[in-house]
């Protein structure tokens, strides 16, 4: 007897007893659908939090240095970091805040401050047209690299700007829009605390949807703090490591460097914070969650599988006489085993297909209702779920099939 | 010699107090082309003997040669092939598979022989024609009368043209008229050269056999040839 014959026979037998077949499949359907829904939803959530972290800039190391003699530690930091090479460090910048009023023509940051009170319409909804005041930062020529900004037009701050105390600045996309509407800001002059600053570049927009976004910024060469806020010391820096692995090494090297710089804490204090750490924590949490929920789903799948085994056993008992007849007219043991295995695999395969459809629907629904995301189950999860169900069918089909084939024909024939 | 039993025992619960000797030292030889009726009271061991002869059961002790081959030395697979090719079974309870239709039931032994679909169908239809059922091939067994079901079972038994036909009370569940019809088929098959072993407790039916073997308590107590009119 060939496989095609056996498959035909199995198909007939499944159709011949629709109620029993449906009950068998139900376990697998529910199992597969829930595994797919849970795993896909978690994957989608993980992907989103990864994307959010990516937008903020991954592999950022925050360094704080405070020297008791009031000196600025950045130049030493800058030289040290760039000496580590681009395989470890991609950039380093101060992150000092600057407070100043910025004016261009009739627009001023002072007026924008007042807008904050008009943020909300009378009905409580947000008024998205309102311009909010920009955040002002001191940065190095590597500010964009460190904070994941790309130059959209013009240029980044340069080393020469810093050395020569050039009165220039780079705008975030939303700040550019707030001050210049849709006109080209490059070459225009902003009045910052009454001093003229030329716009040399604009960053590409990262977060178009939010008014308080990271795009509403103006970055000045850190050296001009001498003009805008005399006497400020640069204490906080961001180092951008090449990748997650490098960030671990860079953190430890920086710690060593700071120990030397502060003379082992005697002439100052230094602190390195690897934000990768909390990324890792988030990842670990996500992994834990997928393990727990995935475990629950796997258990439901297992219960489904045991249900199949149970039904297959009942089937064999129910059909002992049929097996006896088949053996009496010449079926080999192998033919009986093949028939029952194929029957089990087919049941689970059909159940798996239905489960896949329900799992896809479940993922869509869970995605939109629970986490407000547009999630599709990935191909690997879908195919994996299907293979899993067929494998389960075969695994749980083996025992009853083997049991059925071991019967002596005469014993099987005697069964009622 | 087609069939040769030599001192065969079939003992259930051997050595226990509840020991049953269903076959208690049976020796029997059957030649090719014979028509043998096996008679005896209920519980005398008739079915047990047929199960051993048909390779459906294994004797506890003793030797069994089928066509010269020592059956004890055959594997389960080889026994399956013998049942498939050499023997056609007809049972009292018809033993048709309920979720297959008439044609599929008759085709089943041919499927296990690995015969291709076209030849299979032709052979099955030919067998059904011989028993006069070629018009009802798509019916389920449950939609047919007992006599018709037994004819389907006969068609299944002869579809492979086996040299031996074994029938265990084939008329037991039928009225006397349909019973005679079934008996007629067996006689016809025997005329065409098949060896027929027929189990019955009906002395009238036993009287139509060329040879009659009587069992009592697992032993052969009588083995005689008789005159018949149909040969
Ligand atoms: N599986 C078994 N376990 C124990 N005893 C059995 C078993 N099968 C048959 N027997 C016993 O063996 C003896 C012979 O049984 P068998 O079925 O061969 O009788 P039979 O001649 O065919 O009777 P009947 O005319 O009623 O069909 C009986 O006493 C029966 O109880
Ligand atoms: Mg009997």
């Amino acid at each position: 007897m060939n496989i095609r014959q056996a498959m035909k026979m199995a198909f007939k037998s499944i159709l011949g007893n629709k109620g029993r077949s449906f009950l068998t499949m139900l376990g697998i359907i529910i199992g597969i659908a829930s595994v797919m829904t849970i795993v896909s939803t978690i994957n989608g959530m993980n992907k989103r939090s990864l994307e959010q972290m990516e937008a903020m800039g991954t592999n950022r190391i925050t360094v704080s240095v405070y020297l008791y003699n009031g000196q600025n530690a950045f130049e030493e930091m800058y030289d040290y970091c760039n000496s580590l090479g681009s395989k470890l460090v991609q950039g380093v910048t101060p992150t000092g805040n600057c407070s100043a009023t910025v004016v261009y023509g009739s627009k001023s940051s002072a007026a924008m401050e007042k807008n904050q009170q008009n943020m909300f319409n009378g009905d409580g909804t947000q008024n998205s047209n309102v311009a909010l005041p920009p955040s002002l930062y001191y940065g190095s020529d590597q500010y964009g690299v460190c904070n994941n900004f790309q130059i959209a037009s013009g240029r980044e701050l340069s080393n020469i700007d810093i050395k020569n105390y050039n009165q220039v600045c780079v705008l975030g996309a939303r700040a550019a829009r707030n001050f210049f509407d849709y006109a080209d800001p490059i070459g225009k002059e902003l009045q910052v605390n009454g001093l003229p600053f030329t716009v040399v570049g604009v960053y590409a927009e990262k977060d178009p949807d939010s008014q308080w976004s990271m795009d509403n910024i103006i970055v000045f060469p850190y050296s001009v703090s001498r003009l805008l806020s005399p006497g400020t010391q640069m204490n906080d820096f961001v180092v951008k490591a090449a990748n997650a692995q490098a960030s671990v090494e860079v953190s430890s090297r920086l710690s060593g460097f700071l120990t030397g710089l502060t003379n082992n804490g005697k002439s100052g204090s230094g602190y390195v914070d690897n934000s990768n750490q909390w990324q890792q924590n988030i990842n670990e949490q996500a992994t834990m969650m997928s393990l727990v929920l995935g475990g629950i789903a796997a258990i439901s799948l297992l219960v489904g599988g045991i249900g199949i085994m149970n039904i297959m056993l009942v089937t064999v008992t129910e059909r002992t006489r049929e097996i006896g007849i088949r053996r009496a007219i010449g079926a080999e043991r192998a033919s009986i085993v093949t028939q029952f295995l194929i029957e089990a695999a087919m049941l689970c395969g059909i159940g798996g297909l239905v489960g896949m459809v329900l799992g896809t629907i479940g993922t869509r629904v869970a995605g939109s209702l629970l986490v407000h995301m547009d999630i599709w189950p990935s191909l690997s999860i879908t195919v994996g779920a299907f293979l899993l169900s067929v494998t389960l069918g075969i695994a749980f089909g083996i025992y009853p099939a083997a049991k059925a084939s071991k019967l002596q024909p005469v014993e099987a024939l005697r069964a009622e | 010699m087609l069939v040769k039993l030599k001192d065969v025992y079939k003992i259930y619960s051997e050595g226990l107090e509840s020991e049953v000797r269903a076959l208690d030292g049976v020796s029997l030889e059957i030649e090719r082309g014979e028509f043998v009726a096996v008679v005896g009271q209920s519980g005398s061991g008739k079915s047990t003997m047929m199960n051993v002869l048909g390779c459906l059961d294994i004797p506890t002790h003793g030797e069994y040669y089928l066509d010269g081959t020592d059956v004890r030395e055959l594997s389960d697979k080889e026994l399956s092939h013998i049942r498939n090719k050499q023997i056609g079974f007809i049972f009292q309870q018809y033993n048709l598979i309920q979720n297959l239709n008439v044609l599929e039931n008759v085709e089943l032994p041919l499927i296990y022989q690995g015969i291709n679909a076209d030849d299979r169908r032709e052979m099955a239809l030919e067998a059904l024609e011989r028993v006069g059922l070629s018009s009802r091939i798509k019916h389920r067994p449950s939609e047919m009368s007992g006599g018709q079901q037994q004819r389907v079972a006969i068609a299944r038994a002869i579809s492979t043209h086996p040299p031996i036909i074994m029938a265990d009370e084939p008329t037991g569940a039928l009225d006397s008229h349909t019973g005679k019809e079934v008996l007629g088929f067996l006689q016809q098959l025997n005329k065409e050269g098949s060896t027929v072993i027929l189990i019955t407790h009906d002395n009238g039916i036993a009287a139509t056999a060329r040879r009659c073997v009587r069992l009592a308590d697992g032993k052969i107590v009588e083995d005689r040839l008789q005159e018949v009119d149909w040969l």
Side-chain angles (χ1 to χ4, degrees):
Chain A
M1 192 179 57
N2 60 26
I3 292 289
R4 243 190 70 217
Q5 274 303 328
M7 289 184 74
K8 260 193 198 162
M9 232 179 242
F11 196 65
K12 250 184 212 133
S13 151
I14 289 172
L15 280 188
N17 204 331
K18 294 193 184 71
R20 187 185 69 205
S21 304
F22 173 72
L23 282 178
T24 311
M25 277 188 271
L26 201 59
I28 285 290
I29 291 174
I30 293 172
I32 296 284
S34 54
V35 167
M36 260 177 78
T37 305
I38 290 172
V39 175
S40 302
T41 309
I42 292 176
N43 267 9
M45 282 162 65
N46 282 356
K47 213 167 121 200
R48 182 167 66 173
S49 57
L50 258 176
E51 272 167 12
Q52 280 171 344
M53 287 189 294
E54 214 107 86
M56 269 171 41
T58 44
N59 307 320
R60 282 156 45 109
I61 302 163
T62 317
V63 179
S64 310
V65 188
Y66 180 72
L67 296 178
Y68 301 142
N69 62 12
Q71 282 213 329
N72 210 327
F74 184 68
E75 261 149 54
E76 273 132 319
M77 275 282 302
Y78 187 88
D79 289 343
Y80 178 73
C81 286
N82 284 300
S83 78
L84 291 176
S86 62
K87 283 219 175 91
L88 286 176
V89 174
Q90 290 186 333
V92 52
T93 182
T95 53
N97 269 68
C98 159
S99 56
T101 49
V102 182
V103 179
Y104 178 75
S106 62
K107 313 242 168 102
S108 83
S109 58
M112 291 173 188
E113 301 272 358
K114 298 213 177 75
N115 280 344
Q116 286 188 23
Q117 277 114 50
N118 308 331
M119 258 313 286
F120 294 97
N121 297 327
D123 57 3
T125 55
Q126 263 189 35
N127 183 349
S128 56
N129 296 321
V130 169
L132 298 174
S135 308
L136 312 182
Y137 294 106
Y138 294 121
S140 74
D141 58 320
Q142 291 161 347
Y143 183 89
V145 173
C146 291
N147 295 287
N148 259 26
F149 281 109
Q150 310 277 331
I151 285 287
S153 63
R155 64 168 177 85
E156 176 64 280
L157 298 176
S158 75
N159 245 326
I160 297 168
D161 293 331
I162 291 158
K163 286 221 174 72
N164 296 348
Y165 308 97
N166 285 346
Q167 286 167 238
V168 295
C169 63
V170 175
L171 306 184
R174 189 167 283 267
R177 207 149 61 232
N178 287 350
F179 281 95
F180 299 97
D181 292 317
Y182 289 93
D184 182 11
I186 307 291
K188 304 262 166 45
E189 252 176 26
L190 291 171
Q191 301 294 320
V192 184
N193 279 1
L195 298 169
F197 276 73
T198 310
V199 178
V200 294
V202 177
Y203 288 128
E205 192 154 25
K206 283 208 306 198
D207 187 8
D209 300 329
S210 164
Q211 281 161 299
W212 349 68
S213 74
M214 35 193 147
D215 293 309
N216 195 5
I217 60 165
I218 301 178
V219 185
F220 303 102
Y222 69 88
S223 54
V224 303
S225 66
R226 205 173 67 159
L227 304 172
L228 294 177
S229 31
T232 9
Q233 201 182 1
M234 297 283 147
N235 292 322
D236 297 318
F237 315 109
V238 166
V239 178
K240 165 93 170 171
N243 51 51
Q245 218 180 344
S247 79
V248 176
E249 169 154 9
V250 171
S251 305
S252 80
R253 289 216 196 179
L254 278 172
S255 300
F257 170 71
L258 291 185
T259 315
L261 190 68
T262 59
N263 205 357
N264 210 2
K266 286 192 203 94
S267 60
S269 66
Y271 175 69
V272 179
D273 176 27
N274 185 348
S275 65
N276 247 37
Q277 209 59 50
W278 63 260
Q279 278 174 30
Q280 266 168 19
N281 290 347
I282 286 183
N283 277 342
E284 268 165 32
Q285 265 180 342
T287 316
M288 272 300 287
M289 196 157 85
S290 11
L291 278 180
V292 170
L293 292 178
I296 293 171
I299 287 171
S300 69
L301 201 59
L302 186 73
V303 170
I306 292 173
I308 288 193
M309 190 161 86
N310 215 347
I311 294 271
M312 294 309 287
L313 272 174
V314 171
T315 301
V316 170
T317 319
E318 225 179 61
R319 287 165 62 189
T320 307
R321 196 184 180 86
E322 177 190 332
I323 291 167
I325 298 170
R326 287 175 185 273
R327 296 272 284 140
I329 61 176
E332 295 169 24
R333 273 186 187 148
S335 304
I336 301 287
V337 173
T338 315
Q339 187 193 334
F340 274 77
L341 272 188
I342 290 179
E343 222 178 292
M346 233 182 217
L347 269 180
C348 297
I350 297 171
L353 283 177
V354 177
M356 254 161 62
V357 173
L358 289 185
T360 307
I361 296 171
T363 306
R364 306 287 297 150
V365 171
S368 68
L369 288 187
L370 298 178
V371 290
H372 310 291
M373 284 176 71
D374 192 39
I375 310 177
W376 286 98
S378 76
L379 188 70
S380 59
I381 292 173
T382 311
V383 172
F386 181 73
L387 289 183
L388 190 65
S389 66
V390 176
T391 313
L392 270 178
I394 292 175
F396 289 120
I398 279 177
Y399 175 58
K403 195 181 165 201
S405 74
K406 288 244 169 63
L407 293 168
Q408 277 294 329
V410 68
E411 292 162 21
L413 276 171
R414 236 195 311 267
E416 278 314 306
Chain B
M1 200 60 56
L2 183 62
V3 163
K4 184 175 176 186
L5 291 179
K6 207 171 150 192
D7 218 12
V8 166
Y9 293 82
K10 180 72 194 183
I11 305 172
Y12 294 102
S13 326
E14 193 174 16
L16 299 179
E17 216 168 305
S18 57
E19 179 179 288
V20 176
R21 298 189 164 214
L23 291 181
D24 195 6
V26 170
S27 296
L28 179 70
E29 293 187 358
I30 297 173
E31 299 269 13
R32 202 174 286 276
E34 279 196 87
F35 192 115
V36 183
V38 179
V39 293
Q41 294 199 321
S42 183
S44 58
K46 306 183 295 288
S47 298
T48 309
M49 189 165 90
M50 189 192 95
N51 291 336
V52 168
L53 290 174
C55 302
L56 294 169
D57 205 356
I58 299 160
T60 318
H61 308 290
E63 293 165 37
Y64 173 28
Y65 297 93
L66 182 64
D67 215 1
T69 323
D70 188 349
V71 168
R72 287 177 304 177
E73 286 174 359
L74 298 178
S75 67
D76 185 81
K77 187 171 167 169
E78 287 164 324
L79 290 175
S80 301
H81 290 179
I82 287 181
R83 290 195 296 267
N84 189 211
K85 294 207 174 81
Q86 310 289 329
I87 303 169
F89 289 103
I90 302 165
F91 301 94
Q92 180 177 1
Q93 299 301 332
Y94 325 131
N95 277 348
L96 300 172
I97 292 175
Q98 294 302 319
N99 58 13
L100 299 180
N101 67 30
V102 166
L103 182 63
E104 289 162 342
N105 263 292
V106 177
E107 276 186 322
L108 208 53
L110 301 166
I111 289 178
Y112 289 123
Q113 272 187 15
I115 291 173
N116 73 54
D118 292 341
D119 293 352
R120 205 162 67 209
R121 197 182 159 86
E122 201 177 308
M123 290 169 81
L125 286 174
E126 184 198 310
L128 280 165
E129 198 161 332
R130 286 200 60 179
V131 299
L133 278 176
S134 22
S135 61
R136 315 200 56 171
I137 57 174
K138 294 288 176 196
H139 288 251
R140 296 276 150 139
S142 55
E143 296 160 2
M144 309 185 88
S145 75
Q148 286 168 332
Q149 289 190 56
Q150 194 59 299
R151 272 146 69 190
V152 176
I154 293 172
R156 183 180 64 189
I158 64 177
S159 66
T160 58
H161 302 292
I164 311 172
I165 301 283
M166 293 191 186
D168 190 349
E169 311 255 16
T171 60
L174 304 176
D175 63 54
S176 64
H177 175 72
T178 15
K180 280 207 183 85
E181 228 173 60
V182 167
L183 199 61
F185 282 124
L186 294 177
Q187 291 168 348
Q188 181 59 33
L189 289 168
N190 181 245
K191 275 188 203 162
E192 289 164 15
S194 298
T195 310
V196 176
I197 300 170
L198 168 66
I199 288 171
T200 181
H201 57 247
D202 182 332
N203 287 326
I205 290 176
T208 67
R210 183 86 184 86
R211 180 177 171 194
C212 182
V213 173
R214 185 172 296 277
L215 280 176
D217 291 332
K219 292 190 175 76
I220 294 182
V221 293
E222 188 185 352
D223 186 351
R224 64 187 164 88
L225 293 177
Q226 34 191 33
E227 289 298 320
V228 293
D229 53 3
W230 53 272
L231 271 171

